[in-house]
Amino acid sequence: MSVRFADGGDRCGWPQAVLFDLDGTLVDSVPDLTAAANALLATEDKAALGIADVRAMIGNGIMKLVERAFAARGEVLEGDALAAMTDRMMGIYAQNLTGGTTLMPGADTIVTAYARAGVKIGVVTNKPEIFSRAIVDHFGLASSVHVIVGGDTGPARKPAPDMLLHALDRLGVGKHRALMIGDSPADIDAAKAAPMPSIAVRGGYTNIPVEELGADVVIDSLNEVPQAIEKLKEPV
């Protein structure tokens, strides 16, 4: 049971808002990110990376993915060189955001159901906002998502809490009336820093065992969100 939730007031009508991470939580985007990263590496005559390699590099934005991809091929990128290569990666990735990307199990059902029930839905991701909006729209979730905060929206990126708090401010919901659902250390650390309750979903992009992320509840898929919420609402 989350102490933060217990301190936040009554349990009736909770949560009023649910914030979701995107990559590894709502969608499996690693095939398209891998293709883009490898196309970028090819422009510099560097060997391609495997999907498992790129999966381990996702979670802190595209610039960090570019930095890690080149580091894996023995080249350290920083400063202007990293910024320029990131811009090139953005151009490549923008051409194919959804070719191999798929929804994670339960994503459509859960997002749609909670939105219809009157819960405010936010997507908070370190991916650029324009890409995130395109992906959310592609999968037919735009009408259920009330706010999208991307890595270039303005606030400090996850694992800082700023993006979560910014999303909740735009939704008009206090942090004790909200819930964060993610798959990575950046997601759960941001929730803890807010602080607000969190659920971690298995099967995403994390190099740390999900049980060690520090979430209030760990679930196998988004289909288990209703049961996890009920668990969070149990008296201390």
Side-chain angles (χ1 to χ4, degrees), residues 97-163:
L97 293 169
T98 57
T101 295
T102 56
L103 283 173
M104 296 294 278
D108 186 16
T109 301
I110 291 298
V111 169
T112 302
Y114 276 94
R116 286 177 177 170
V119 176
K120 298 296 184 182
I121 304 295
V123 171
V124 181
T125 170
N126 285 335
K127 184 189 289 292
E129 185 175 328
I130 191 170
F131 293 171
S132 304
R133 290 187 178 279
I135 292 169
V136 167
D137 184 63
H138 173 80
F139 288 108
L141 298 177
S143 62
S144 298
V145 174
H146 303 95
V147 65
I148 296 176
V149 178
D152 57 350
T153 299
R157 297 179 179 182
K158 298 177 293 182
D162 304 52
M163 296 174 72

Side-chain angles (χ1 to χ4, degrees), residues 23-139:
D23 298 292
T25 301
L26 289 179
V27 301
D28 182 4
S29 54
V30 77
D32 289 322
L33 285 167
T34 300
N38 284 335
L40 179 66
L41 289 169
T43 66
E44 298 295 312
D45 297 319
K46 296 189 182 295
L49 296 164
I51 281 184
D53 298 320
V54 176
R55 180 180 292 273
M57 298 174 183
I58 299 172
N60 297 96
I62 287 182
M63 180 175 284
K64 183 59 69 172
L65 171 58
V66 170
E67 179 185 341
R68 290 165 175 165
F70 275 82
R73 291 295 175 254
E75 181 174 345
V76 176
L77 287 179
E78 55 188 7
D80 291 342
L82 176 58
M85 202 65 73
T86 300
D87 286 343
R88 196 187 301 179
M89 169 75 170
M90 296 269 281
I92 294 170
Y93 184 44
Q95 300 305 309
N96 195 10
L97 293 169
T98 57
T101 295
T102 56
L103 283 173
M104 296 294 278
D108 186 16
T109 301
I110 291 298
V111 169
T112 302
Y114 276 94
R116 286 177 177 170
V119 176
K120 298 296 184 182
I121 304 295
V123 171
V124 181
T125 170
N126 285 335
K127 184 189 289 292
E129 185 175 328
I130 191 170
F131 293 171
S132 304
R133 290 187 178 279
I135 292 169
V136 167
D137 184 63
H138 173 80
F139 288 108

